[in-house]
Amino acid sequence: MAATPALLELVSVGRRLAGRAVLRDVSFSLRRDDVLGLLGVNGAGKSTTLAIIAGVLQPDAGSVLIDGKNATDDVRTMRDRIGWVPESVPLWPELTVIEALDACGRLRGLSKPARKTALERELARLELTDLAQRLCGQLSLGQKRRVGLAQALLHEPDLLVLDEPGNGLDPVQAAQLRELIGKLKPGRGIILSSHDLAEVEAMCNRVVILHDSRVRLDAPLETRRGKLDAQFRSIAAQPASAAA
Amino acid sequence: MSALAVARIDLKRLAVRPFAWTLAGIALAMMAWQFLLGLSAFMHAQPVVPGPAAGPGFIDAVVAPYLLNYIQLCLVIVPLITMQALAGERGAQRLALLTASGATAAQIVLGKFTARLVFLWLLLVIVATMPLVLGGATHPDWGQFGAALVASALCVAALAAIGVACSAFTPEPALAATAALLIGEGLSLIDAGVRISGGEGGWLGYLALHTHLAPAMRGLVRSEDIVYFLIIIVLALALAIRRIAAERERG
């Protein structure tokens, strides 16, 4: 019997930006119920990797497979299967939370009854009911992150892509985020980027370390607990290659 | 479907933005003032003793110059309305959000264009209402009025398409507005020298907005004028779509 394909698979993905190689031969995979932490210093290529997975950027080389099917050229697959929350949550400051989420539902092609159900579900799940009529431009960073997550979850995606989800959150909000990711994990795959080891250790069961545009470590976290800090420091200390 | 969703979001945003309403308020106040001036001049030019109608009528003397003035005003206000369409969205990653939501470049550009066009056409309807309220008293030539209105609507659409295209090509809204203003003014003035010297415009004349507005203001709807405006709209939107589609590749 053929093995079930991974939910997400990156095969030799490469990308150049402004004449510089940002990603080179990046390959890793993610299965359902996995929470994969993408670690790396600033400029390692984490956000670019996530933007390629989300379909916002096109890879120069390689491919992104969702359930074994090439997603890079298939907008519909990307839209239906992936929910993406970039580092700075893109909201429309003039719209209320409920209007912004409704607009996102329309963009994803949800019917009116489906939008209503999805809005009620996500407002409750992310504790946004009290903020529903508040303008997005008036929200705090933590609240914006929750609205960002709500828009990414409206269509119940199989794969959740979170770029630096804990960045700028206070300890209480960070703990709430960890709890939320634990709740969201069953039945879907989650990939999140971070440069915070503690955050990755608390939320993820697998880790990929990117350095100098390449994958330097891809391993289950349970085998690395306690050793990850030293390993990350050792990888991050390696000089970047001069190759462009 | 996504183009309509994008248009809906942008219309909602325009509707709550003080900038758009302030601009609309200023434009309408200026147009009302110009209409009253034109009407006053027309009234003074009327013979005191009633007799057979002679000379230019209400549409020729008041409405056509009034709509041409509105087009001149649009050369300035349309770039201000369109400058944020795509240029302002990039920095805040809202363009990326639309792409990640599955909207294609064509849907994004058409949605942004439609929202601005609806807003600008709404302004045109209000501007046209001013002469319309005198319709019962002045016996206007409705055909001529309709032709002038159609040409004005097409011209506004062409200027909006140019504005959206400029917004697609630069990350700075101010640069987008400046570029759209320069292109609009360029199209408006390109044959000015030839016109002043009384010569034939040739291909310069064909490029000029005035060449394609003037016949409609006299009540003549020519297919070549409609094609001219449609070419500008299609060309500008195609360039914008191409630029936004390339964003996934360029980064």
Side-chain angles (χ1 to χ4, degrees):
Chain A
M1 202 170 78
T4 317
L7 174 61
L8 167 74
E9 191 172 1
L10 269 71
V11 185
S12 301
V13 168
R15 173 75 209 199
R16 296 178 75 85
L17 285 174
R20 190 178 74 89
V22 180
L23 295 178
R24 279 179 283 193
D25 201 23
V26 169
S27 299
F28 61 84
S29 62
L30 173 77
R31 299 195 167 272
R32 274 177 206 279
D33 301 327
D34 268 357
V35 181
L36 187 149
L38 197 57
L39 269 173
V41 294
N42 286 337
K46 305 186 293 290
S47 294
T48 306
T49 306
L50 297 190
I52 286 173
I53 294 169
V56 174
L57 280 178
Q58 204 161 356
D60 295 334
S63 50
V64 177
L65 308 176
I66 305 280
D67 274 338
K69 292 176 193 155
N70 197 333
T72 42
D73 298 322
D74 187 350
V75 175
R76 185 166 289 276
T77 300
M78 191 178 74
R79 179 177 75 177
D80 294 345
R81 308 292 302 275
I82 301 173
W84 177 57
V85 187
E87 187 180 356
S88 60
V89 183
L91 297 173
W92 299 283
E94 305 90 345
L95 302 190
T96 63
V97 169
I98 192 100
E99 284 172 342
L101 292 177
D102 187 57
C104 290
R106 278 177 198 278
L107 282 170
R108 293 199 175 275
L110 298 181
S111 66
K112 196 175 177 181
R115 279 204 310 276
K116 189 172 181 288
T117 311
L119 282 178
E120 283 168 3
R121 184 188 65 232
E122 296 314 327
L123 286 174
R125 173 150 61 185
L126 289 142
E127 297 171 19
L128 288 166
T129 311
D130 292 343
L131 298 173
Q133 299 303 329
R134 182 91 64 91
L135 287 176
C136 292
Q138 295 174 344
L139 300 176
S140 69
L141 182 63
Q143 291 166 338
K144 278 184 186 166
R145 284 270 155 77
R146 272 149 61 198
V147 177
L149 261 172
Q151 68 79 19
L153 287 164
L154 278 177
H155 57 301
E156 291 277 35
D158 297 322
L159 176 64
L160 202 51
V161 180
L162 311 174
D163 196 355
E164 307 269 4
N167 216 2
L169 297 185
D170 63 37
V172 176
Q173 290 170 330
Q176 286 171 340
L177 178 74
R178 280 197 285 271
E179 193 186 332
L180 183 67
I181 289 192
K183 281 186 201 166
L184 293 172
K185 187 176 135 181
R188 55 168 64 93
I190 301 177
I191 176 166
L192 58 92
S193 71
S194 181
H195 48 249
D196 183 345
L197 287 172
E199 190 179 270
V200 168
E201 282 191 318
M203 289 193 276
C204 305
N205 61 341
R206 280 193 54 219
V207 64
V208 166
I209 297 180
L210 276 179
H211 183 67
D212 190 25
S213 320
R214 295 176 195 276
V215 172
R216 296 306 171 104
L217 176 78
D218 179 0
L221 201 55
E222 58 198 23
T223 62
R224 304 278 157 179
R225 270 187 219 284
K227 295 181 271 181
L228 190 62
D229 187 19
Q231 200 152 16
F232 182 49
R233 280 171 195 277
S234 137
I235 290 171
Q238 289 170 12
S241 72
Chain B
M1 184 64 190
S2 280
L4 281 181
V6 173
R8 216 184 143 96
I9 294 169
D10 272 35
L11 260 180
K12 211 168 238 181
R13 294 177 69 199
L14 277 172
V16 296
R17 250 186 217 166
F19 177 72
W21 287 112
T22 308
L23 210 58
I26 292 170
L28 289 178
M30 285 173 74
M31 290 316 296
W33 179 242
Q34 291 196 16
F35 179 66
L36 288 176
L37 285 179
L39 192 62
S40 171
F42 179 67
M43 297 297 281
H44 279 105
Q46 295 306 299
V48 179
V49 181
F58 174 64
I59 300 288
D60 284 318
V62 180
V63 179
Y66 168 73
L67 287 177
L68 283 174
N69 280 339
Y70 178 65
I71 296 299
Q72 287 299 317
L73 190 62
C74 278
L75 291 176
V76 179
I77 63 168
V78 172
L80 294 175
I81 292 290
T82 54
M83 67 180 181
Q84 295 269 8
L86 295 156
E89 302 292 83
R90 270 196 204 91
Q93 284 204 302
R94 284 190 284 265
L95 211 52
L97 178 70
L98 293 177
T99 308
S101 300
T104 61
Q107 289 167 335
I108 293 170
V109 170
L110 290 177
K112 300 269 176 192
F113 171 69
T114 306
R116 273 134 194 100
L117 193 58
V118 167
F119 185 82
L120 291 164
W121 276 359
L122 196 67
L123 267 185
L124 180 64
V125 167
I126 300 171
V127 164
T129 308
M130 293 185 221
L132 269 182
V133 293
L134 295 177
T138 53
H139 308 294
D141 179 344
W142 291 115
Q144 189 181 356
F145 182 72
L149 206 56
V150 167
S152 302
L154 282 171
C155 187
V156 167
L159 293 175
I162 291 170
V164 169
C166 290
S167 184
F169 276 88
T170 166
E172 290 295 328
L175 268 180
T178 310
L181 178 71
L182 286 176
I183 294 171
E185 289 291 351
L187 287 175
S188 173
L189 298 172
I190 195 164
D191 69 336
V194 182
R195 262 191 287 151
I196 289 168
S197 62
E200 284 292 314
W203 65 271
L204 273 184
Y206 182 79
L207 287 178
L209 287 176
H210 174 83
T211 308
H212 304 279
L213 284 169
M217 295 299 158
R218 295 194 303 270
L220 193 62
V221 180
R222 302 186 308 179
S223 51
E224 67 172 276
D225 300 328
I226 294 173
V227 167
Y228 167 81
F229 289 120
L230 290 181
I231 286 174
I232 293 183
I233 294 168
V234 170
L235 191 67
L237 293 181
L239 285 172
I241 290 168
R242 213 179 134 88
R243 179 66 185 79
I244 296 300
E247 209 120 301
R248 270 185 82 207
E249 290 153 31
R250 290 160 58 107

